[in-house]
Amino acid sequence: MTDQSDPMYDSPTYLMFETVRLVRRTAARLLPGQPRLPHLLVLWCVARSGPLSQREVAERLRMDPGDLVGIVDALERAGHVERRRDPGDRRRYALDATEDGRLFLGESLDARVRLNEVLFEPLSPDERRLFREMLLRVLAHHDDRFTAPERAAEARQRAQAGSPTRDRASS
């Protein structure tokens, strides 16, 4: 054995990758039958800001529109989201959360709180707060959605107007 540190353990991107894998495994074990996080994100976005077109949801969540179709189909089959003709533009559909969808979202978010408690149990409350703040700082540096609420609203307005965003990770 050498005194050199392991490059994989020194890599924050590798550690984040393994953390995501841990989250998926733990969620599957603790929340069987619950939808994966992308489904909840779409439902949350539509419940919070809907009615929205699928294009608007994809832009807000930085999701591939092709991936979004299957998620919306599943949410619609489950009765959590409705597609309706957009009264402002009859050529497109608008997504809106159903009452059942809103109730399901609340229950799912409560379950995610329990998931976070299990995942981050080794950290003290101060360490959890610091970890969250550091993640938000990194995300905000690359994506305006994670900045202060007023700047996030400005970023959404710029995105809707068609101006480029600071999301360098997707380029």
Side-chain angles (χ1 to χ4, degrees), residues 135-156:
L135 288 172
L136 283 170
R137 189 170 11 148
V138 169
L139 289 167
H141 179 77
H142 298 281
D143 187 334
D144 286 335
R145 293 176 302 153
F146 295 95
T147 60
E150 60 277 358
R151 289 200 52 212
E154 292 169 14
R156 279 194 298 275

Side-chain angles (χ1 to χ4, degrees), residues 43 47 78-81 97-108:
L43 182 55
H80 301 313
V81 167
T98 64
E99 187 59 33
D100 283 346
R102 291 175 194 283
L103 292 171
F104 176 77
L105 178 62
E107 293 166 3
S108 297

Side-chain angles (χ1 to χ4, degrees), residues 1 11 17 20 23 41 44 46 63 73 75 78 91 93 101 105 107 112 117 119 124 128 130-131 141 149 154 162 171:
M1 187 151 305
S11 169
F17 173 78
V20 168
V23 169
L41 289 173
W44 169 78
V46 172
M63 293 180 84
D73 288 346
L75 290 170
R91 295 170 295 174
Y93 284 93
L105 178 62
E107 293 166 3
R112 292 285 165 165
E117 289 170 357
L119 285 168
S124 71
R128 288 181 193 192
L130 182 59
F131 182 62
H141 179 77
E154 292 169 14
S171 29

Side-chain angles (χ1 to χ4, degrees), residues 15-115:
L15 296 174
M16 289 297 299
F17 173 78
E18 288 297 336
T19 302
V20 168
R21 291 178 60 191
L22 172 66
V23 169
R24 286 182 179 162
R25 285 191 312 268
T26 307
R29 184 173 41 88
L30 292 179
L31 309 172
Q34 282 279 322
R36 289 181 59 178
L37 193 54
H39 292 74
L40 293 179
L41 289 173
V42 170
L43 182 55
W44 169 78
C45 181
V46 172
R48 184 175 188 218
S49 304
L52 298 168
S53 71
Q54 284 187 205
R55 180 185 53 78
E56 290 170 320
V57 173
E59 288 172 0
R60 287 180 185 213
L61 295 177
R62 308 284 199 277
M63 293 180 84
D64 181 274
D67 294 340
L68 184 62
V69 172
I71 292 170
V72 171
D73 288 346
L75 290 170
E76 189 175 38
R77 277 193 307 274
H80 301 313
V81 167
E82 291 179 329
R83 282 184 179 112
R84 296 187 208 149
R85 288 282 181 194
D86 185 339
D89 183 349
R90 301 290 295 159
R91 295 170 295 174
R92 70 178 192 164
Y93 284 93
L95 303 174
D96 207 356
T98 64
E99 187 59 33
D100 283 346
R102 291 175 194 283
L103 292 171
F104 176 77
L105 178 62
E107 293 166 3
S108 297
L109 293 176
D110 289 344
R112 292 285 165 165
V113 168
R114 290 190 302 279
L115 174 64

